[in-house]
Structures are given as C-alpha cells and as structure tokens.
Amino acid sequence: MRPNRILLSSALVVVALVIQVSVLSRLHLPGAVPDLLLLTVLGLAMVYGHVGGALVGFGAGLLADIAPPADHAAGRYALVLCVIGYLAGLIKPETGKVKSATGPMAVVVAAAIGSTLLYAGVGALVGDTAARHVGLGGLLLTAAVYDLLLAPFVVPGIMWLARRAENDPLADSGSAAKNTDISSGWLSSGTGLSIGGRRGALGSLKAKARTRTTRVGRIKGVKRL
C-alpha cells in the first residue's frame, strides 16, 4: 500500500476503535453493538479495492483482537474483517465515486450479517458458543439495523477522505521524479503537457515559420525572373 493510504487507514482505524470501545460498547443496546470499525473498513475498501480492503481489514481486525477488553482468540476478528474488506473491495467503482447510496447501503447490510455469521462460525470452530446463548437471530437483526443507521454518518465521510488522499498531487512524486523534474510537473499540472514538450512545440513552430519564409522568398525570386 502507498504511504498516504497507510497513514490515513491507521488514523481512521484507531479513531474508530477508540470510539467503539469507549462509547458504543457502553451504550448497552439490546443485541449487537454498532460496529464502527466494520464501517470504516467498508468505506476504505470501496475506494482502495479488494487488495487494499483486505489489508486494511486484517490490520483493523488484529488491532481489535488485542485491544482491551477483547475476550476472544487473537486473529479471529482479523480473519473476519480481512474477508469482508476483500469482498467489499470487489465492488469498487472504476472512478472511486458512488452515484447512488443504494449499493453502499446494501453492502453495509450484507457485511453486518456476513461478519456476524463468520465471527460466530469461527467461534464455533474454536469452541466459543457465546452466540448460541445470546441468540444468533437477534444478533443478525440488531447488527444490520445498527450498522445501517450509523452508515450514512460514517461511510460517505470515510470514502471522501480516502478519495481526497488518492488525489494528492504529491502522492506519486517519488515515481514521477524518475522521469521528470518535480517543478516541471507542478508547472504543467492540469494541461497534460510537459515543459520539454512545450519547448519542442515552440521549436517546431519556429522551424515551420522559417520554412514558410524561405518558400515565399523562393516563389518571389522565381516571379522576378
């Protein structure tokens, strides 16, 4: 991943995890807890694509696994968010912008239900049967409702920040410096022309003008004769 993606993703994941642990988990809502971390991963995945979404999801899940008051095996939520981030990144628009809210909202509902099922399934494999005592049906319903209500306030902002970081003119300065000077890149930004290209164009125009002048002189010389 690019450095700007890593910095932005790390900051957003840490903020989301702090808010979820210190605020959302203490609301004592019936059923599931609103998953702000999941929504953050979804917003980043729908801009970064499936590879970036999987990496962000794995890192976010691993951080949630080791952050107190975690009471499950480390790597369990990392696996869940890695899969969810990968699948969400597969529907990334070509331009990185979403024209309608219907698609992202459907992704949020599917991710809330899928992450709950996957988390419960992995727990069943390692001997954790807490989901059976709470009631899996109630968890699925409340997780989908809570995340859907929270998504309009989180996902668009996350995607906007990710797109803004992607459009940073200094993001690819390292690779651009191999071919052209940074100053010439800034001067030619927005035009699609490089400084060398402009000089070449001016030189060709002068050469054409000289050629035309020479031709006119020859024609006049022939007429005089």
Side-chain angles (χ1 to χ4, degrees):
M1 291 181 66
R2 301 175 183 175
N4 59 331
R5 289 187 176 186
I6 296 175
L7 293 176
L8 178 63
S9 302
S10 301
L12 292 175
V13 165
V14 170
V15 172
L17 182 60
V18 170
I19 295 176
Q20 182 166 332
V21 172
S22 61
V23 178
L24 297 179
S25 61
R26 297 184 180 182
L27 295 178
H28 301 292
L29 297 173
V33 176
D35 200 338
L36 184 60
L37 197 61
L38 172 65
L39 298 178
T40 302
V41 171
L42 290 178
L44 293 173
M46 285 189 284
V47 176
Y48 294 161
H50 60 283
V51 176
L55 294 175
V56 172
F58 179 80
L62 187 61
L63 186 62
D65 285 333
I66 62 178
D71 57 352
H72 55 268
R76 181 177 172 183
Y77 202 48
L79 174 62
V80 173
L81 288 187
C82 180
V83 174
I84 296 298
Y86 179 85
L87 295 177
L90 292 176
I91 64 168
K92 170 192 172 184
E94 295 181 358
T95 60
K97 298 181 180 181
V98 180
K99 298 181 180 180
S100 175
T102 304
M105 292 300 101
V107 172
V108 169
V109 174
I113 296 176
S115 62
T116 304
L117 289 174
L118 185 58
Y119 186 83
V122 175
L125 292 177
V126 297
D128 185 0
T129 59
R132 297 180 182 178
H133 302 289
V134 177
L136 186 57
L139 286 177
L140 294 176
L141 179 60
T142 53
V145 172
Y146 294 156
D147 291 348
L148 188 60
L149 293 177
L150 189 60
F153 304 99
V154 178
V155 176
I158 297 295
M159 296 182 67
W160 180 83
L161 289 173
R163 288 197 303 266
R164 189 172 181 85
E166 289 294 288
N167 294 331
D168 187 355
L170 297 180
D172 296 328
S173 60
S175 60
K178 297 179 182 179
N179 299 324
T180 57
D181 185 69
I182 296 178
S183 60
S184 64
W186 275 99
L187 292 175
S188 61
S189 61
T191 61
L193 297 175
S194 61
I195 300 300
R198 289 181 177 179
R199 290 176 180 175
L202 290 176
S204 61
L205 289 176
K206 290 180 180 179
K208 290 181 180 180
R210 291 175 183 174
T211 303
R212 291 178 180 176
T213 304
T214 304
R215 289 179 179 177
V216 171
R218 291 177 179 178
I219 292 173
K220 288 184 178 179
V222 172
K223 288 183 177 181
R224 288 177 183 178
L225 293 175

